[in-house]
Amino acid sequence: MRIIRAADCRTMPWKNGGGTTTEIAVSPDGASLSDFDWRISMAHVGQDGPFSSFPGIDRTLSVLTGAGITLAFGDGEHVRLDRSSAPYPFAADRAVEGVLVDGAIDDLNVMSRRGRWRHRVERLSGAGVLTAAEGLLMLVARKGDWLVNGAALPSGDNAILEAPGRVELVVSGNEAELYAVWLTMETRGTLS
């Protein structure tokens, strides 16, 4: 297990220049916004505006703080997300405008390159056991003091574990929130 401390995460401009994002992890290491296989980041959204387009990328968005955001897609679909919403997956090359519900939000973005990697995101609020049969399991601690297989993972820090593996989560504190991200490499057919 590798711990990624909040203080070690880098902040950078959005692809479209409309704000900043804090990159938690990216693969391969040092990849740019145009050539990553997968990327996990948090963004502060202070005003309405278009989302950056990422061709060939699937994205899952989770609202971490604030009243929420409405995703106004170019095809007319509208999806409202708030703190109680499940993480919401959509194609990152789909035209979408973000409209804040009532003030700024912070969000968690998980992105993976279609055909190379796939991902799944789940928000957890208590102790339990997770398994990773293949790929990677990324843990993003948001509230509470977590123990991951006995190792401390304070709020704001992150952990990445390689599969196969089993993770026992214990948490203390009045409020607990942790995001689990499963990242799995896509299998390609073989020629015979």
PDB file of all heavy atoms in Angstrom, residues 4-31:
ATOM      1  N   ILE A   4      -0.622   8.487  -0.239  1.00  0.00           N
ATOM      2  CA  ILE A   4      -0.425   9.754  -0.947  1.00  0.00           C
ATOM      3  C   ILE A   4      -0.984  10.850  -0.042  1.00  0.00           C
ATOM      4  O   ILE A   4      -2.188  10.943   0.157  1.00  0.00           O
ATOM      5  CB  ILE A   4      -1.151   9.761  -2.312  1.00  0.00           C
ATOM      6  CG1 ILE A   4      -0.657   8.591  -3.184  1.00  0.00           C
ATOM      7  CG2 ILE A   4      -0.949  11.099  -3.020  1.00  0.00           C
ATOM      8  CD1 ILE A   4      -1.498   8.355  -4.421  1.00  0.00           C
ATOM      9  N   ARG A   5      -0.088  11.634   0.532  1.00  0.00           N
ATOM     10  CA  ARG A   5      -0.495  12.693   1.454  1.00  0.00           C
ATOM     11  C   ARG A   5      -1.084  13.870   0.682  1.00  0.00           C
ATOM     12  O   ARG A   5      -0.624  14.203  -0.419  1.00  0.00           O
ATOM     13  CB  ARG A   5       0.700  13.171   2.281  1.00  0.00           C
ATOM     14  CG  ARG A   5       1.379  12.082   3.077  1.00  0.00           C
ATOM     15  CD  ARG A   5       0.540  11.620   4.232  1.00  0.00           C
ATOM     16  NE  ARG A   5       1.225  10.543   4.953  1.00  0.00           N
ATOM     17  CZ  ARG A   5       0.585   9.633   5.660  1.00  0.00           C
ATOM     18  NH1 ARG A   5      -0.732   9.659   5.755  1.00  0.00           N
ATOM     19  NH2 ARG A   5       1.245   8.690   6.299  1.00  0.00           N
ATOM     20  N   ALA A   6      -2.065  14.529   1.283  1.00  0.00           N
ATOM     21  CA  ALA A   6      -2.706  15.692   0.647  1.00  0.00           C
ATOM     22  C   ALA A   6      -1.660  16.746   0.288  1.00  0.00           C
ATOM     23  O   ALA A   6      -1.729  17.361  -0.781  1.00  0.00           O
ATOM     24  CB  ALA A   6      -3.764  16.274   1.579  1.00  0.00           C
ATOM     25  N   ALA A   7      -0.667  16.932   1.147  1.00  0.00           N
ATOM     26  CA  ALA A   7       0.362  17.959   0.918  1.00  0.00           C
ATOM     27  C   ALA A   7       1.237  17.639  -0.295  1.00  0.00           C
ATOM     28  O   ALA A   7       1.878  18.531  -0.840  1.00  0.00           O
ATOM     29  CB  ALA A   7       1.230  18.096   2.160  1.00  0.00           C
ATOM     30  N   ASP A   8       1.259  16.388  -0.728  1.00  0.00           N
ATOM     31  CA  ASP A   8       2.098  15.991  -1.866  1.00  0.00           C
ATOM     32  C   ASP A   8       1.366  16.050  -3.208  1.00  0.00           C
ATOM     33  O   ASP A   8       1.974  15.798  -4.249  1.00  0.00           O
ATOM     34  CB  ASP A   8       2.642  14.577  -1.650  1.00  0.00           C
ATOM     35  CG  ASP A   8       3.561  14.499  -0.447  1.00  0.00           C
ATOM     36  OD1 ASP A   8       4.197  15.526  -0.115  1.00  0.00           O
ATOM     37  OD2 ASP A   8       3.636  13.417   0.174  1.00  0.00           O
ATOM     38  N   CYS A   9       0.067  16.349  -3.189  1.00  0.00           N
ATOM     39  CA  CYS A   9      -0.715  16.415  -4.429  1.00  0.00           C
ATOM     40  C   CYS A   9      -0.468  17.757  -5.112  1.00  0.00           C
ATOM     41  O   CYS A   9      -0.341  18.781  -4.450  1.00  0.00           O
ATOM     42  CB  CYS A   9      -2.195  16.238  -4.123  1.00  0.00           C
ATOM     43  SG  CYS A   9      -2.593  14.615  -3.439  1.00  0.00           S
ATOM     44  N   ARG A  10      -0.410  17.748  -6.436  1.00  0.00           N
ATOM     45  CA  ARG A  10      -0.109  18.998  -7.154  1.00  0.00           C
ATOM     46  C   ARG A  10      -1.395  19.654  -7.671  1.00  0.00           C
ATOM     47  O   ARG A  10      -2.326  18.979  -8.100  1.00  0.00           O
ATOM     48  CB  ARG A  10       0.871  18.766  -8.293  1.00  0.00           C
ATOM     49  CG  ARG A  10       0.328  17.983  -9.461  1.00  0.00           C
ATOM     50  CD  ARG A  10       1.377  17.832 -10.540  1.00  0.00           C
ATOM     51  NE  ARG A  10       0.793  17.088 -11.654  1.00  0.00           N
ATOM     52  CZ  ARG A  10       1.113  17.268 -12.902  1.00  0.00           C
ATOM     53  NH1 ARG A  10       2.015  18.154 -13.242  1.00  0.00           N
ATOM     54  NH2 ARG A  10       0.544  16.554 -13.844  1.00  0.00           N
ATOM     55  N   THR A  11      -1.397  20.988  -7.607  1.00  0.00           N
ATOM     56  CA  THR A  11      -2.517  21.772  -8.112  1.00  0.00           C
ATOM     57  C   THR A  11      -2.122  22.335  -9.465  1.00  0.00           C
ATOM     58  O   THR A  11      -0.996  22.793  -9.653  1.00  0.00           O
ATOM     59  CB  THR A  11      -2.875  22.904  -7.127  1.00  0.00           C
ATOM     60  OG1 THR A  11      -3.254  22.290  -5.884  1.00  0.00           O
ATOM     61  CG2 THR A  11      -4.035  23.744  -7.635  1.00  0.00           C
ATOM     62  N   MET A  12      -3.058  22.266 -10.413  1.00  0.00           N
ATOM     63  CA  MET A  12      -2.779  22.695 -11.779  1.00  0.00           C
ATOM     64  C   MET A  12      -4.029  23.298 -12.399  1.00  0.00           C
ATOM     65  O   MET A  12      -5.131  23.082 -11.905  1.00  0.00           O
ATOM     66  CB  MET A  12      -2.282  21.506 -12.602  1.00  0.00           C
ATOM     67  CG  MET A  12      -3.255  20.347 -12.610  1.00  0.00           C
ATOM     68  SD  MET A  12      -2.529  18.782 -13.134  1.00  0.00           S
ATOM     69  CE  MET A  12      -2.230  19.097 -14.838  1.00  0.00           C
ATOM     70  N   PRO A  13      -3.890  24.060 -13.497  1.00  0.00           N
ATOM     71  CA  PRO A  13      -5.061  24.645 -14.146  1.00  0.00           C
ATOM     72  C   PRO A  13      -5.908  23.571 -14.822  1.00  0.00           C
ATOM     73  O   PRO A  13      -5.394  22.538 -15.252  1.00  0.00           O
ATOM     74  CB  PRO A  13      -4.482  25.592 -15.197  1.00  0.00           C
ATOM     75  CG  PRO A  13      -3.009  25.506 -15.113  1.00  0.00           C
ATOM     76  CD  PRO A  13      -2.644  24.458 -14.130  1.00  0.00           C
ATOM     77  N   TRP A  14      -7.224  23.853 -14.910  1.00  0.00           N
ATOM     78  CA  TRP A  14      -8.101  22.987 -15.690  1.00  0.00           C
ATOM     79  C   TRP A  14      -7.647  22.994 -17.138  1.00  0.00           C
ATOM     80  O   TRP A  14      -7.032  23.960 -17.611  1.00  0.00           O
ATOM     81  CB  TRP A  14      -9.531  23.492 -15.659  1.00  0.00           C
ATOM     82  CG  TRP A  14     -10.238  23.310 -14.351  1.00  0.00           C
ATOM     83  CD1 TRP A  14      -9.815  22.620 -13.254  1.00  0.00           C
ATOM     84  CD2 TRP A  14     -11.523  23.834 -14.019  1.00  0.00           C
ATOM     85  NE1 TRP A  14     -10.752  22.692 -12.269  1.00  0.00           N
ATOM     86  CE2 TRP A  14     -11.812  23.433 -12.713  1.00  0.00           C
ATOM     87  CE3 TRP A  14     -12.444  24.605 -14.705  1.00  0.00           C
ATOM     88  CZ2 TRP A  14     -13.003  23.766 -12.081  1.00  0.00           C
ATOM     89  CZ3 TRP A  14     -13.621  24.941 -14.075  1.00  0.00           C
ATOM     90  CH2 TRP A  14     -13.902  24.524 -12.773  1.00  0.00           C
ATOM     91  N   LYS A  15      -7.995  21.957 -17.858  1.00  0.00           N
ATOM     92  CA  LYS A  15      -7.662  21.871 -19.274  1.00  0.00           C
ATOM     93  C   LYS A  15      -8.222  23.068 -20.043  1.00  0.00           C
ATOM     94  O   LYS A  15      -7.579  23.605 -20.928  1.00  0.00           O
ATOM     95  CB  LYS A  15      -8.201  20.553 -19.850  1.00  0.00           C
ATOM     96  CG  LYS A  15      -7.816  20.292 -21.281  1.00  0.00           C
ATOM     97  CD  LYS A  15      -8.356  18.941 -21.734  1.00  0.00           C
ATOM     98  CE  LYS A  15      -8.042  18.691 -23.190  1.00  0.00           C
ATOM     99  NZ  LYS A  15      -8.668  17.452 -23.671  1.00  0.00           N
ATOM    100  N   ASN A  16      -9.441  23.520 -19.671  1.00  0.00           N
ATOM    101  CA  ASN A  16     -10.057  24.657 -20.380  1.00  0.00           C
ATOM    102  C   ASN A  16      -9.696  26.006 -19.750  1.00  0.00           C
ATOM    103  O   ASN A  16     -10.197  27.042 -20.181  1.00  0.00           O
ATOM    104  CB  ASN A  16     -11.583  24.486 -20.473  1.00  0.00           C
ATOM    105  CG  ASN A  16     -12.290  24.597 -19.132  1.00  0.00           C
ATOM    106  OD1 ASN A  16     -11.686  24.958 -18.118  1.00  0.00           O
ATOM    107  ND2 ASN A  16     -13.560  24.263 -19.116  1.00  0.00           N
ATOM    108  N   GLY A  17      -8.847  26.007 -18.706  1.00  0.00           N
ATOM    109  CA  GLY A  17      -8.394  27.249 -18.091  1.00  0.00           C
ATOM    110  C   GLY A  17      -9.391  27.894 -17.145  1.00  0.00           C
ATOM    111  O   GLY A  17      -9.121  28.953 -16.593  1.00  0.00           O
ATOM    112  N   GLY A  18     -10.535  27.250 -16.889  1.00  0.00           N
ATOM    113  CA  GLY A  18     -11.590  27.867 -16.092  1.00  0.00           C
ATOM    114  C   GLY A  18     -11.457  27.731 -14.592  1.00  0.00           C
ATOM    115  O   GLY A  18     -12.292  28.224 -13.850  1.00  0.00           O
ATOM    116  N   GLY A  19     -10.431  27.067 -14.105  1.00  0.00           N
ATOM    117  CA  GLY A  19     -10.262  26.884 -12.671  1.00  0.00           C
ATOM    118  C   GLY A  19      -9.031  26.052 -12.392  1.00  0.00           C
ATOM    119  O   GLY A  19      -8.153  25.908 -13.247  1.00  0.00           O
ATOM    120  N   THR A  20      -8.972  25.489 -11.188  1.00  0.00           N
ATOM    121  CA  THR A  20      -7.835  24.651 -10.832  1.00  0.00           C
ATOM    122  C   THR A  20      -8.309  23.300 -10.320  1.00  0.00           C
ATOM    123  O   THR A  20      -9.439  23.160  -9.846  1.00  0.00           O
ATOM    124  CB  THR A  20      -6.955  25.310  -9.748  1.00  0.00           C
ATOM    125  OG1 THR A  20      -7.741  25.541  -8.589  1.00  0.00           O
ATOM    126  CG2 THR A  20      -6.334  26.593 -10.244  1.00  0.00           C
ATOM    127  N   THR A  21      -7.417  22.331 -10.407  1.00  0.00           N
ATOM    128  CA  THR A  21      -7.694  20.989  -9.934  1.00  0.00           C
ATOM    129  C   THR A  21      -6.485  20.496  -9.156  1.00  0.00           C
ATOM    130  O   THR A  21      -5.348  20.890  -9.443  1.00  0.00           O
ATOM    131  CB  THR A  21      -8.009  20.037 -11.112  1.00  0.00           C
ATOM    132  OG1 THR A  21      -8.368  18.763 -10.613  1.00  0.00           O
ATOM    133  CG2 THR A  21      -6.844  19.892 -12.053  1.00  0.00           C
ATOM    134  N   THR A  22      -6.735  19.682  -8.155  1.00  0.00           N
ATOM    135  CA  THR A  22      -5.664  19.065  -7.387  1.00  0.00           C
ATOM    136  C   THR A  22      -5.574  17.610  -7.795  1.00  0.00           C
ATOM    137  O   THR A  22      -6.504  16.835  -7.566  1.00  0.00           O
ATOM    138  CB  THR A  22      -5.926  19.194  -5.880  1.00  0.00           C
ATOM    139  OG1 THR A  22      -6.012  20.585  -5.556  1.00  0.00           O
ATOM    140  CG2 THR A  22      -4.818  18.548  -5.065  1.00  0.00           C
ATOM    141  N   GLU A  23      -4.470  17.253  -8.429  1.00  0.00           N
ATOM    142  CA  GLU A  23      -4.279  15.893  -8.921  1.00  0.00           C
ATOM    143  C   GLU A  23      -3.796  15.003  -7.780  1.00  0.00           C
ATOM    144  O   GLU A  23      -2.773  15.267  -7.161  1.00  0.00           O
ATOM    145  CB  GLU A  23      -3.254  15.915 -10.056  1.00  0.00           C
ATOM    146  CG  GLU A  23      -3.094  14.595 -10.760  1.00  0.00           C
ATOM    147  CD  GLU A  23      -2.183  14.738 -11.962  1.00  0.00           C
ATOM    148  OE1 GLU A  23      -0.950  14.675 -11.766  1.00  0.00           O
ATOM    149  OE2 GLU A  23      -2.711  14.930 -13.071  1.00  0.00           O
ATOM    150  N   ILE A  24      -4.563  13.949  -7.513  1.00  0.00           N
ATOM    151  CA  ILE A  24      -4.210  12.993  -6.458  1.00  0.00           C
ATOM    152  C   ILE A  24      -3.281  11.916  -7.021  1.00  0.00           C
ATOM    153  O   ILE A  24      -2.260  11.595  -6.436  1.00  0.00           O
ATOM    154  CB  ILE A  24      -5.482  12.348  -5.865  1.00  0.00           C
ATOM    155  CG1 ILE A  24      -6.352  13.418  -5.196  1.00  0.00           C
ATOM    156  CG2 ILE A  24      -5.113  11.246  -4.878  1.00  0.00           C
ATOM    157  CD1 ILE A  24      -7.737  12.937  -4.803  1.00  0.00           C
ATOM    158  N   ALA A  25      -3.650  11.361  -8.174  1.00  0.00           N
ATOM    159  CA  ALA A  25      -2.836  10.316  -8.802  1.00  0.00           C
ATOM    160  C   ALA A  25      -3.150  10.275 -10.285  1.00  0.00           C
ATOM    161  O   ALA A  25      -4.276  10.586 -10.709  1.00  0.00           O
ATOM    162  CB  ALA A  25      -3.122   8.957  -8.163  1.00  0.00           C
ATOM    163  N   VAL A  26      -2.145   9.882 -11.072  1.00  0.00           N
ATOM    164  CA  VAL A  26      -2.304   9.774 -12.523  1.00  0.00           C
ATOM    165  C   VAL A  26      -1.431   8.623 -13.012  1.00  0.00           C
ATOM    166  O   VAL A  26      -0.391   8.324 -12.416  1.00  0.00           O
ATOM    167  CB  VAL A  26      -1.933  11.104 -13.236  1.00  0.00           C
ATOM    168  CG1 VAL A  26      -0.461  11.431 -13.054  1.00  0.00           C
ATOM    169  CG2 VAL A  26      -2.335  11.088 -14.696  1.00  0.00           C
ATOM    170  N   SER A  27      -1.865   7.971 -14.064  1.00  0.00           N
ATOM    171  CA  SER A  27      -1.076   6.910 -14.674  1.00  0.00           C
ATOM    172  C   SER A  27      -1.040   7.105 -16.177  1.00  0.00           C
ATOM    173  O   SER A  27      -2.075   7.388 -16.781  1.00  0.00           O
ATOM    174  CB  SER A  27      -1.670   5.537 -14.350  1.00  0.00           C
ATOM    175  OG  SER A  27      -0.932   4.510 -14.965  1.00  0.00           O
ATOM    176  N   PRO A  28       0.156   6.959 -16.780  1.00  0.00           N
ATOM    177  CA  PRO A  28       1.437   6.728 -16.111  1.00  0.00           C
ATOM    178  C   PRO A  28       1.884   7.968 -15.340  1.00  0.00           C
ATOM    179  O   PRO A  28       1.398   9.065 -15.584  1.00  0.00           O
ATOM    180  CB  PRO A  28       2.386   6.404 -17.273  1.00  0.00           C
ATOM    181  CG  PRO A  28       1.752   7.005 -18.481  1.00  0.00           C
ATOM    182  CD  PRO A  28       0.275   7.005 -18.247  1.00  0.00           C
ATOM    183  N   ASP A  29       2.823   7.773 -14.409  1.00  0.00           N
ATOM    184  CA  ASP A  29       3.341   8.886 -13.609  1.00  0.00           C
ATOM    185  C   ASP A  29       3.801  10.016 -14.524  1.00  0.00           C
ATOM    186  O   ASP A  29       4.488   9.773 -15.517  1.00  0.00           O
ATOM    187  CB  ASP A  29       4.530   8.440 -12.746  1.00  0.00           C
ATOM    188  CG  ASP A  29       4.095   7.614 -11.552  1.00  0.00           C
ATOM    189  OD1 ASP A  29       2.908   7.688 -11.170  1.00  0.00           O
ATOM    190  OD2 ASP A  29       4.938   6.892 -10.988  1.00  0.00           O
ATOM    191  N   GLY A  30       3.400  11.234 -14.197  1.00  0.00           N
ATOM    192  CA  GLY A  30       3.815  12.408 -14.958  1.00  0.00           C
ATOM    193  C   GLY A  30       3.045  12.631 -16.241  1.00  0.00           C
ATOM    194  O   GLY A  30       3.375  13.547 -17.001  1.00  0.00           O
ATOM    195  N   ALA A  31       2.002  11.820 -16.500  1.00  0.00           N
ATOM    196  CA  ALA A  31       1.220  11.980 -17.732  1.00  0.00           C
ATOM    197  C   ALA A  31       0.557  13.351 -17.771  1.00  0.00           C
ATOM    198  O   ALA A  31       0.196  13.918 -16.739  1.00  0.00           O
ATOM    199  CB  ALA A  31       0.160  10.888 -17.838  1.00  0.00           C
TER     200      ALA A  31
END
